Amino acid sequence: MTAQIIDGKNFAVALRERVAEHTAYLKQQHNITPGLAVVLVGEDPASQVYVRSKAKQTVEAGMNSYQHKLAVDTTEAELLALIDQLNSDPAVHGILVQLPLPEHIDEALVINAIDPAKDVDGFHISNAGLLATGQQAMVPCTPLGCLMMLREYCGNLSGQNALVIGRSNIVGKPMAQLLLRESCTVTVAHSRTRNLRELVANADIVVAAVGRPLFIEGGWIKPGATVIDVGINRIEKSDGTTRLVGDVDFDAAKEVAGAITPVPGGVGPMTIACLLANTVTACCRASALPEPHGLTV
Ligand code: NAD
């Protein structure tokens, strides 16, 4: 049996279309244009690529994009002052501070200075708490995209054994909370977990967010399981060029799994699409308008 390939690219295109449609509706019917502010401190090349791509897709969806590029020696106080200004700007519905920040800036302090209602990354402690207690939150983009795809491919997730590998604040922990909310039986594995292979073999759903190339072997996967591979790892090929791979050995796993996301083209494209969706959600909540169907979970 060969697994169904979960096409994150197609999924993201469809989600971005829904975002663009609702943005057009908000403009026409309510004269409101959702706005996303992205703050970048320093010149990290990968962060610059992410920020450009986020801004481009924001504009393509018909929303306003506000970019704030700050010098690497920006002080914490200066950054907090900008966050303050964005918090009180009614044209800004979503604020994203690109991570990582330079070492002299306290990342947690900055994230927690963002108005939780504008925290479209969902990293603010209020949003983490709201999610953990089953209340309306801004849901972190990567786990949100994973859950949307899981719901589509598995239907009702209730009672399924879900294994989340990785316990980071941006992927593993919120993913586990979302799956718990879906009534899965959730196990979280991490760097100190002893029996990972057995846990994988028992899981109907595996979400891998480790950051180790091809770490999860195909033979570990339970036949028919759904595998969501969040990992993005660059490895060198024998000819000296590089390629992107996930945390799961895709070629072997696809022979066993029921459905699996590829890398690239799986979870990655959904992350920015979910950021746009969160911005529209934040805009509707700020304007006391009903939330469109399908942009959050
Ligand atoms: P992280 O480094 O913060 O966390 C990695 C986690 O893996 C840790 O919780 C750690 O306990 C766990 N881990 C390490 N070794 C392990 C082992 N041997 N067994 C089990 N668990 C182990 O990483 P992160 O930010 O959560 O990201 C994880 C991966 O996902 C990275 O490859 C990252 O690039 C990728 N990522 C992709 C997207 C996307 O949009 N597709 C978004 C965020 C992160």
Side-chain angles (χ1 to χ4, degrees), residues 103-121:
E103 267 178 18
H104 65 278
I105 298 178
D106 181 342
E107 227 163 66
L109 187 74
V110 171
I111 298 299
N112 291 321
I114 298 172
D115 176 348
K118 296 189 179 190
D119 168 41
V120 281
D121 253 343

Side-chain angles (χ1 to χ4, degrees), residues 50 141-143 146 164-173 188-193 196 208-213 215-216 229-233 245-247 263 266-272:
Y50 289 139
C141 303
T142 299
C146 294
V164 179
I165 314 177
R167 57 175 162 183
S168 71
N169 289 338
I170 63 169
V171 189
K173 281 183 200 151
V188 181
H190 47 77
S191 52
R192 303 296 168 93
T193 296
L196 186 62
V210 183
R212 293 182 66 171
F215 175 58
I216 316 293
D229 192 350
V230 182
I232 304 176
N233 311 286
V245 297
D247 290 341
V263 177
V267 175
M270 277 299 280
T271 295
I272 298 187

Side-chain angles (χ1 to χ4, degrees), residues 71-87:
V72 69
D73 59 356
T74 299
T75 64
E76 193 174 271
E78 284 166 336
L79 179 55
L80 289 171
L82 173 62
I83 303 283
D84 229 25
Q85 182 197 317
L86 297 172
N87 280 343

Side-chain angles (χ1 to χ4, degrees), residues 6-9 11-12 142-155 157 226 228-229 261-262 265-271 297:
I6 303 177
D7 187 338
K9 256 195 221 162
F11 226 94
T142 299
L144 175 59
C146 294
L147 183 60
M148 284 179 177
M149 292 193 287
L150 276 171
R151 277 183 173 177
E152 177 78 16
Y153 278 83
C154 304
L157 303 179
T226 304
I228 305 287
D229 192 350
T261 57
V267 175
M270 277 299 280
T271 295
V297 289

Side-chain angles (χ1 to χ4, degrees), residues 91-104:
V92 172
H93 303 98
I95 302 170
L96 178 148
V97 177
Q98 185 66 44
L99 302 178
L101 287 169
E103 267 178 18
H104 65 278

